[in-house]
Amino acid sequence: MPFGQTSTGVTHCFALRLEDPGWSHWRPGQFVMVRHPSFGLELIWGRAFSISRLVSSGLSLFIQAQGRGSERLSAANPGDKVTVWGPLGNGFAIQDKRTLMLAGGVGIAPFLAYAENHPTPHKLELIFGHRLPLETYPFDNAKTLVPEMTVSSFHERSPEDLPVFLEMVDEAIMNHATSGLVLACGPTPFLRAVKQMAAKHGAMAQLSLENKMGCGVGACLGCVIKDTKGENVQVCSKGPVFWSHKIEL
Ligand SMILES: Cc1cc2nc3c(=O)[nH]c(=O)nc-3n(C[C@H](O)[C@H](O)[C@H](O)COP(=O)(O)OP(=O)(O)OC[C@H]3O[C@@H](n4cnc5c(N)ncnc54)[C@H](O)[C@@H]3O)c2cc1C
Ligand code: FES
């Protein structure tokens, strides 16, 4: 499948565009597994990425290069052919109620598709926490694509900034506790904090996990976590989106 690539020009984040896969059914929050020929025999598995947007011109992913596979994807050339499996997993709930989207770093990726496909986007609020400069991420795209939603961002320049951001998140979750929905995607410590805050305020929350994956389809058991009943569940096929009160984190 041919694709083009654009760099944000800052550090190692880039958008990866793939030819329109022609799917008739998919939901924001689902993901794809991608494999580039340069993975060769050395990197057996594909790599998991959220579907950031799907439009008639193609499928867009937003990737932070942080290891061998994503580095190789960042060096791909327009027109290269990659192998893609998808759409995989389940997506975020879409409900006609006030919905708070909490994104950390590349966790912003699925919220572009989510906001674009929401029937009542004026009820959406996005809070985005990031460590790299804001222009590294598709935050302005989100604002432009869905001008009806409320957006704010927080630049975590040093570890001392984290409590300030978490305080902001805590207050927003509290404000959505009574009749709203909270969604979060980002690094595991961030999701853990959201889970605790949602429990504290009695908010309904869904978390999208970014566990390391092997097969992506429920077979290798490389991605399992425990649910609150103590059962092993595969993040790739039972998630990656889970109700926060149903999983251990
Ligand atoms: C649902 C989902 C959505 C994601 N969305 C995004 C996104 O939109 N943008 C983004 O930048 N990142 C996203 N990620 C994270 C992304 O998958 C990782 O950054 C990427 O896999 C890193 O690959 P790497 O080769 O660069 O890193 P490396 O650390 O070199 O390799 C990671 C790979 O090692 C293998 N591996 C490691 N541990 C195990 C294990 N226990 N079992 C099986 N295999 C293992 C897997 O193949 C894994 O993908 C997402 C992850 C998930 C699960
Ligand atoms: S990645 Fe293989 S079971 Fe989930």
Side-chain angles (χ1 to χ4, degrees), residues 211-212 218 220-226 231-236:
N211 287 36
K212 301 245 173 173
C220 73
L221 304 183
C223 65
V224 291
I225 53 160
K226 293 259 188 233
E231 303 285 332
N232 286 329
V233 289
Q234 294 105 315
V235 172
C236 59

Side-chain angles (χ1 to χ4, degrees), residues 47-50 62-64 66-70 211-213 222:
R47 298 298 189 254
F49 301 103
S50 300
F62 178 71
I63 299 176
Q64 181 164 10
Q66 45 197 344
R68 293 173 303 166
S70 47
N211 287 36
K212 301 245 173 173
M213 288 190 182

Side-chain angles (χ1 to χ4, degrees), residues 7-58:
S7 167
T8 60
V10 185
T11 72
H12 293 302
C13 289
F14 58 99
L16 190 65
R17 282 194 300 274
L18 299 114
E19 194 176 70
D20 178 9
W23 299 329
S24 53
H25 297 293
W26 70 284
R27 289 180 59 192
Q30 288 189 294
F31 67 102
V32 290
M33 298 292 289
V34 182
R35 226 184 152 270
H36 187 266
S38 63
F39 287 15
L41 293 175
E42 192 194 341
L43 308 184
I44 302 298
W45 303 110
R47 298 298 189 254
F49 301 103
S50 300
I51 299 167
S52 186
R53 292 187 71 205
L54 179 55
V55 290
S56 56
S57 59

